[in-house]
Amino acid sequence: MKHDITAIFLTNNEVPKKWMEFHNKVLLKALDGAPLITLSRKPIDLGINILQDEPKSMSNIYWQLLRGAKMATTDYIAVVEDDTLYSRE
């Protein structure tokens, strides 16, 4: 399947481990092989993982998303976070 979207996943790694495991399983199923760029505070084995390089702040959210967007090679991007479940649709 051709994918024209890259998911940019932003996390501070603060959700419970069991939730993160479940969330990641559901996310990967929803992405169905679409590219995934993960920006996290701690290393995680999910897509292309980049560590956040700035202190937590509202402006940091935008800087990290910009980093991910610049790495994307698809026509579109989708922003996903660790506190929401995403469906394929």
Side-chain angles (χ1 to χ4, degrees):
M1 172 182 236
K2 181 182 180 306
H3 295 287
D4 61 355
I5 194 164
T6 297
I8 300 175
F9 176 42
L10 193 62
T11 181
N12 282 324
N13 304 95
E14 294 178 346
V15 297
K17 183 179 177 187
K18 290 277 190 188
W19 169 257
M20 185 60 83
E21 291 170 358
F22 176 69
H23 175 274
N24 293 353
K25 180 180 171 183
V26 171
L27 178 60
L28 290 174
K29 184 176 179 182
L31 291 175
D32 191 29
L36 174 63
I37 298 170
T38 303
L39 292 129
S40 61
R41 294 255 165 226
K42 300 174 189 173
I44 59 175
D45 186 22
L46 187 66
I48 298 170
N49 183 229
I50 307 299
L51 294 181
Q52 294 188 37
D53 58 356
E54 297 291 333
K56 291 181 194 177
S57 69
M58 292 299 292
S59 62
N60 180 55
I61 294 170
Y62 298 103
W63 285 114
Q64 298 309 317
L65 292 176
L66 179 60
R67 288 177 72 198
K70 286 181 176 181
M71 293 178 62
T73 58
T74 56
D75 292 335
Y76 305 98
I77 61 167
V79 176
V80 298
E81 296 179 336
D82 59 11
D83 60 355
T84 304
L85 286 178
Y86 298 90
S87 68
R88 176 83 177 119
E89 295 77 27

